[in-house]
Amino acid sequence: MQLTITIGLIVLVVFAILYQNKKRKEKQMGIDLENLIEANDWQGVSRILLKQLILWGVLLTGFITVIGLVWYVDRKFKYSSLVVIAFVAWRFIKLAKLYYISRYNEKALQEEVQQEEENHAFIERLMTRAEELLKNYNTTRISPDATPQAIMQMWLDAYERGKSAGFHPVLIEVDLNLLDNLEDVFADDNSFDQWQQQVLNSPATDGMELLQQGFKELQECYDTDYWEAEVLGDDLQYDALHDFYFDSDYASFDNILLVEIPVQQPWQVFAHIPFGGWNDCPEEAEHMAIAKYWYEKYGAVVAHISLDTLEYYVPPMLTVDTMPLAEEQLGYCHDMLQNNINLTTLARMNQASTVWSFWWD
């Protein structure tokens, strides 16, 4: 009996000392873990949790061994010893779960970093090839850290320089599909010359007539009630557009080129950069006719081209009635309706917007 009490007291004293030491270390560990999690350093988190896991594993093993001896000598401490073992085991299991989560996050972060590296390498190959294909043009890469406002200002500066230097700047958003289009046109000098002559020699079209025809075709798709309620609609209070929209999958602007195209008139860029001719998107010659019409009437110029998006820059309208322009824009790009916009909203936005954005599905 005396031996049992002595062993029990020793266990309690050891437990009390370890518990106090544990509380102190846990407090510091909590601070360290918060800092590491904030820094997204899951490897460091796993390292701390592994140490704790080993410590509590040793404690659990030790308690089971000691309490086993107590049971062997005197079973009076059976239930109290089970409580101690249960507490240590619960703590061990809790740490094991946290360690598993940490390791999972660590692996996910490693995969994310690897994916980002692969994406950057992929984009670098695309950009290098695009620059090779556009070797006859002056090109500038946009900084990956640039903001939409900074990109807009860069384009505006180039636009002003181009008026006297004899070029028109266009932002080109490079992805694999757009690069394929460039490959088809710029594979060699002969293919480019043939494509360009085909665009320039297309039957003359009138931009305004194309837009009116497109708007008439759109009207024929809907009955009067739907047209009034959904296509004409009410003003949805969308903000005016003043920045270009970049549909980047890589969370940065490392796939954008500023290309200086040597043309006398801005609408002639469509005879240098391929865009259109698929689904409901007009052919290059039609884009060129419409761009010429809008430039002469509104001062609008092509500014940004991606695989399926085309954006114009235009001085603010601030006119009383911009509904005719909104009708032209819907006639140009029926798919604008898929972006939850209507004629009334578009007309009001046109009074202040400096960017017109068109997207074809």
Side-chain angles (χ1 to χ4, degrees):
M1 184 66 180
Q2 185 71 29
L3 177 60
T4 301
I5 295 175
T6 302
I7 293 175
L9 289 173
I10 292 174
V11 169
L12 290 175
V13 171
V14 170
F15 180 79
I17 294 173
L18 290 175
Y19 181 77
Q20 290 298 322
N21 185 55
K22 176 187 76 68
K23 293 294 289 184
R24 185 173 61 256
K25 288 186 175 181
E26 278 189 344
K27 183 178 180 180
Q28 182 59 48
M29 182 185 71
I31 296 173
D32 293 339
L33 286 174
E34 287 181 4
N35 293 334
L36 290 171
I37 292 173
E38 185 176 351
N40 211 21
D41 182 3
W42 289 102
Q43 186 175 9
V45 173
S46 297
R47 188 168 54 249
I48 290 177
L49 291 177
L50 180 59
K51 291 180 180 178
Q52 288 294 307
L53 196 60
I54 293 172
L55 173 62
W56 281 91
V58 171
L59 283 176
L60 180 59
T61 303
F63 276 120
I64 291 175
T65 302
V66 172
I67 291 171
L69 292 174
V70 173
W71 279 20
Y72 180 77
V73 176
D74 189 342
R75 293 180 178 268
K76 290 182 179 180
F77 291 92
K78 180 172 68 173
Y79 295 109
S80 59
S81 60
L82 284 176
V83 171
V84 174
I85 291 177
F87 172 79
V88 177
W90 169 80
R91 184 68 179 183
F92 179 81
I93 293 171
K94 182 179 178 181
L95 281 168
K97 289 181 178 179
L98 291 175
Y99 179 70
Y100 172 80
I101 294 172
S102 179
R103 288 289 294 169
Y104 177 84
N105 289 337
E106 181 184 345
K107 183 179 179 181
L109 181 61
Q110 290 173 347
E111 291 175 351
E112 181 181 335
V113 171
Q114 182 179 358
Q115 185 63 52
E116 288 181 359
E117 291 175 351
E118 292 175 357
N119 287 342
H120 287 310
F122 175 70
I123 286 297
E124 179 60 30
R125 291 194 297 272
L126 292 184
M127 294 293 282
T128 299
R129 182 54 181 158
E131 288 169 329
E132 291 173 354
L133 293 170
L134 298 170
K135 60 182 182 297
N136 294 328
Y137 304 91
N138 185 26
T139 61
T140 303
R141 290 195 189 193
I142 300 298
S143 169
D145 300 324
T147 62
Q149 295 76 19
I151 296 175
M152 169 62 80
Q153 189 58 53
M154 180 180 292
W155 182 88
L156 287 171
D157 293 342
Y159 179 50
E160 290 302 317
R161 286 189 291 106
K163 292 178 181 179
S164 58
F167 70 85
H168 181 73
V170 176
L171 292 162
I172 295 182
E173 195 171 351
V174 180
D175 63 10
L176 187 59
N177 293 317
L178 187 139
L179 186 64
D180 286 342
N181 294 340
L182 295 179
E183 291 274 10
D184 291 340
V185 171
F186 292 94
D188 54 56
D189 292 340
N190 288 334
S191 63
F192 174 75
D193 291 340
Q194 291 174 2
W195 171 80
Q196 188 176 61
Q197 288 305 312
Q198 181 181 354
V199 174
L200 295 174
N201 295 331
S202 296
T205 53
D206 182 275
M208 183 174 68
E209 290 182 3
L210 286 171
L211 296 172
Q212 290 175 347
Q213 179 183 348
F215 186 70
K216 181 180 179 181
E217 292 174 354
L218 182 65
Q219 282 182 306
E220 293 173 351
C221 295
Y222 304 100
D223 59 42
T224 302
D225 291 340
Y226 186 89
W227 182 270
E228 293 290 332
E230 300 297 332
V231 180
L232 182 59
D234 298 320
D235 190 351
L236 300 175
Q237 298 299 317
Y238 292 165
D239 293 335
L241 300 180
H242 298 290
D243 296 314
F244 301 125
Y245 171 76
F246 299 102
D247 187 19
S248 176
D249 293 329
Y250 308 103
S252 68
F253 299 118
D254 55 355
N255 66 326
I256 302 173
L257 284 175
L258 178 65
V259 184
E260 298 176 1
I261 302 176
V263 292
Q264 294 301 314
Q265 301 295 344
W267 64 80
Q268 295 171 335
V269 298
F270 290 109
H272 290 262
I273 302 297
F275 182 85
W278 36 267
N279 295 346
D280 291 329
C281 187
E283 301 278 352
E284 287 91 352
E286 295 174 321
H287 283 298
M288 189 157 55
I290 292 168
K292 180 176 184 295
Y293 163 66
W294 274 343
Y295 177 71
E296 293 174 345
K297 186 172 183 179
Y298 302 109
V301 294
V302 180
H304 169 222
I305 294 176
S306 71
L307 172 68
D308 54 9
T309 300
L310 181 64
E311 294 188 306
Y312 285 74
Y313 169 78
V314 62
M317 299 267 88
L318 298 178
T319 56
V320 175
D321 183 14
T322 52
M323 182 59 76
L325 171 59
E327 293 177 352
E328 290 178 352
Q329 290 172 331
L330 276 189
Y332 183 46
C333 179
H334 298 175
D335 289 344
M336 294 181 74
L337 293 175
Q338 296 185 37
N339 291 331
N340 298 318
I341 200 166
N342 57 45
L343 281 169
T344 301
T345 304
L346 198 55
R348 195 262 311 154
M349 291 173 65
N350 284 333
Q351 295 178 2
S353 292
T354 53
V355 172
W356 297 347
S357 186
F358 303 98
W359 167 82
W360 288 268
D361 191 1

